[in-house]
Amino acid sequence: MYVLGFQEIVPLKTKNVIGVEDPTEATNWNLLIGKTLNDKYGCPWLTPMLNPISSENYHFVRFPGFGRRASFSGHSGFTGPELSKAQHEGEAYGGSKYKLMASKKMVGVFISVWMKKEFLTKYCISDVKVSSVACGIMGYLGNKGSVSVSMSIEGTSFCFIAAHLASGEKRGDEGRRNHQVSEIFRRTSFPRSSEDDDNPHPITILGHDRIFWFGDLNYRLYQDNILAKEFIKKQDWKALQEFDQLRKELEDGGVFEGWREGNIEFAPTYKYSSANCNRYTAGLPGRSGEKQRTPAWCDRILWYGKGVRQLSYFRSESKFSDHRPVSALFSIPIEVMKVTNPGKVFPTGTFLPMPSGKLEPIDSKGGARSTLLSLISKESVKGIGSLP
């Protein structure tokens, strides 16, 4: 399973912030992600190009033909002849390896969730919902905020939050970021609909079993540029983290009380010069329009919930932005709902293998930043009685 978060996939200009949402960039990103994930499986164009998606707000619909274990498919909006045609073309080309589960865009913030097709046939995926919270200018515009996806895999609920928080490195700016985090917790909602099944589903972020919060969180260092660059030169990440604002929040039980982050063993991800992408802007001769900023770990991946095991946490060297993207790989237990059917047996202690291929960064005209979570699951069986 792949979860990708982006910030600034469009420039944060007035017309983009207060105008009508344009799904073009999100659709293009989903097409590129789908092509990258499915490129070596014989049908790179099948997902999701059979039905170009208005990716501003996309999630799965029920799709017959996958068997009881699959509640959703990678095609949205097909009915009648269109559905038959999509199924026929999918069979003719062997289908795609990964399916788009959910996608949500708000101005420049964007989230995209993909799952292996074999995962869909093996597990019951349900209650896929999306939400967004705008908390930028005046507290309610979408230049800053979050987009979220909620879903259940068997008996385990998941929530993924891609966020872009307030910028600024002056003392006190971290307070604005903390306030936005609190607002996202308070205002994110996944209300029930008439299409939901009878099983209860979390409505708020903290109601979920496994939660991942990631993106350009913009937390900076309580440190001046000279000392920060000394630590960076020595690659003494542990010493530099003593001044990290987000680490202080995690340790002091602030807005992210009880949340966890893996060990940071890579250089700060911000702010790189557009003139020389291998150098931070701090200390460089000033260029027109280029801000001088102390390096910081602005781009982060946090999680909340029991049983989550992080296997890796790293940055990539994509140079199309003044940030460096971060990625993480997790192993996550899920509770498999055991149907009271003597002929149906579900295994325990099974790991789903990750693909051997690597998702390469994709160029963006807008200088987008990205975060990637790769997820694998470990099963445990939970008996819940008969299912419809």
Side-chain angles (χ1 to χ4, degrees):
M1 184 175 176
Y2 281 103
V3 183
L4 298 97
F6 298 81
Q7 300 79 48
E8 295 191 39
I9 65 170
V10 298
L12 299 183
K13 298 178 180 179
T14 303
K15 66 175 183 178
N16 292 329
V17 174
I18 66 175
V20 178
E21 282 282 0
D22 181 359
T24 303
E25 286 298 324
T27 300
N28 289 339
W29 275 102
N30 272 336
L31 292 172
L32 287 168
I33 296 166
K35 182 180 184 302
T36 303
L37 289 174
N38 291 303
D39 204 18
K40 60 181 180 179
Y41 298 110
C43 192
W45 58 88
L46 184 62
T47 302
M49 290 185 69
L50 279 177
N51 182 34
I53 298 162
S54 175
S55 297
E56 172 192 342
N57 188 348
Y58 169 85
H59 58 88
F60 266 12
V61 295
R62 294 188 181 276
F63 185 24
F66 272 84
R68 193 205 70 79
R69 304 304 298 168
S71 295
F72 295 89
S73 84
H75 303 286
S76 175
F78 286 127
T79 57
E82 289 179 317
L83 179 59
S84 299
K85 180 182 178 183
Q87 288 174 307
H88 174 73
E89 291 184 15
E91 292 169 0
Y93 290 105
S96 45
K97 192 73 173 179
Y98 285 87
K99 298 292 185 181
L100 177 61
M101 295 299 297
S103 177
K104 178 66 177 174
K105 172 185 177 294
M106 181 190 72
V107 187
V109 190
F110 175 55
I111 189 171
S112 188
V113 179
W114 296 73
M115 190 175 288
K116 267 191 172 182
K117 183 178 177 181
E118 64 193 56
F119 202 100
L120 296 171
T121 62
K122 186 175 183 180
Y123 300 111
C124 179
I125 315 299
S126 61
D127 298 312
V128 182
K129 300 175 184 292
V130 294
S131 179
S132 63
V133 172
C135 52
I137 300 171
M138 298 184 293
Y140 284 94
L141 291 185
N143 59 307
K144 294 293 188 289
S146 68
V147 288
S148 307
V149 172
S150 171
M151 63 192 300
S152 289
I153 303 176
E154 293 286 338
T156 303
S157 58
F158 288 79
C159 188
F160 305 101
I161 306 105
H164 189 189
L165 303 181
S167 60
E169 63 177 15
K170 300 189 301 294
R171 280 195 174 271
D173 285 340
E174 69 275 16
R176 294 191 298 134
R177 292 184 274 274
N178 292 343
H179 175 71
Q180 289 178 345
V181 171
S182 298
E183 284 294 287
I184 291 169
F185 275 125
R186 185 177 68 86
R187 291 160 52 190
T188 299
S189 177
F190 306 99
R192 293 186 61 83
S193 69
S194 58
E195 298 177 355
D196 290 345
D197 55 30
D198 295 331
N199 295 322
H201 183 77
I203 296 176
T204 64
I205 290 175
L206 291 175
H208 292 77
D209 299 315
R210 315 280 186 265
I211 313 168
F212 297 86
W213 187 308
F214 49 97
D216 180 4
L217 308 190
N218 252 322
Y219 285 92
R220 308 301 175 90
L221 297 176
Y222 292 119
Q223 184 59 276
D224 61 44
N225 175 56
I226 296 176
L227 288 176
K229 295 196 79 172
E230 283 296 317
F231 286 124
I232 292 171
K233 186 177 180 180
K234 298 176 183 177
Q235 297 188 10
D236 192 346
W237 312 133
K238 186 175 181 179
L240 189 59
Q241 286 174 60
E242 295 295 321
F243 305 96
D244 179 65
Q245 293 177 350
L246 181 54
R247 184 55 57 95
K248 186 175 187 299
E249 287 295 323
L250 293 170
E251 292 175 350
D252 294 351
V255 289
F256 284 111
E257 183 177 2
W259 288 68
R260 297 186 62 190
E261 181 183 25
N263 292 329
I264 297 178
E265 298 178 349
F266 49 83
T269 58
Y270 174 84
K271 175 180 181 5
Y272 283 86
S273 171
S274 58
N276 183 344
C277 289
N278 289 319
R279 295 184 64 183
Y280 295 106
T281 59
L284 291 177
R287 296 179 69 249
S288 177
E290 187 166 69
K291 300 176 182 178
Q292 303 289 299
R293 292 289 183 264
T294 300
W297 287 287
C298 289
D299 310 277
R300 314 288 278 268
I301 300 174
L302 311 178
W303 76 87
Y304 186 92
K306 297 179 180 178
V308 177
R309 185 162 61 97
Q310 188 178 71
L311 305 180
S312 64
Y313 189 24
F314 59 95
R315 58 172 257 175
S316 299
E317 301 309 311
S318 305
K319 299 177 181 178
F320 58 85
S321 168
D322 56 357
H323 290 244
R324 293 293 181 267
V326 295
S327 305
L329 176 63
F330 295 91
S331 170
I332 305 170
I334 59 172
E335 290 183 322
V336 175
M337 299 183 295
K338 185 178 180 182
V339 182
T340 54
N341 179 349
K344 193 74 171 178
V345 179
F346 299 102
T348 61
T350 302
F351 278 87
L352 298 181
M354 292 301 298
S356 58
K358 180 181 179 183
L359 182 62
E360 296 293 344
I362 306 168
D363 196 6
S364 166
K365 295 180 181 179
R369 277 122 39 208
S370 63
T371 310
L372 169 66
L373 288 77
S374 301
L375 311 175
I376 59 179
S377 72
K378 181 173 65 176
E379 303 173 2
S380 63
V381 175
K382 178 183 180 182
I384 63 168
S386 61
L387 293 175

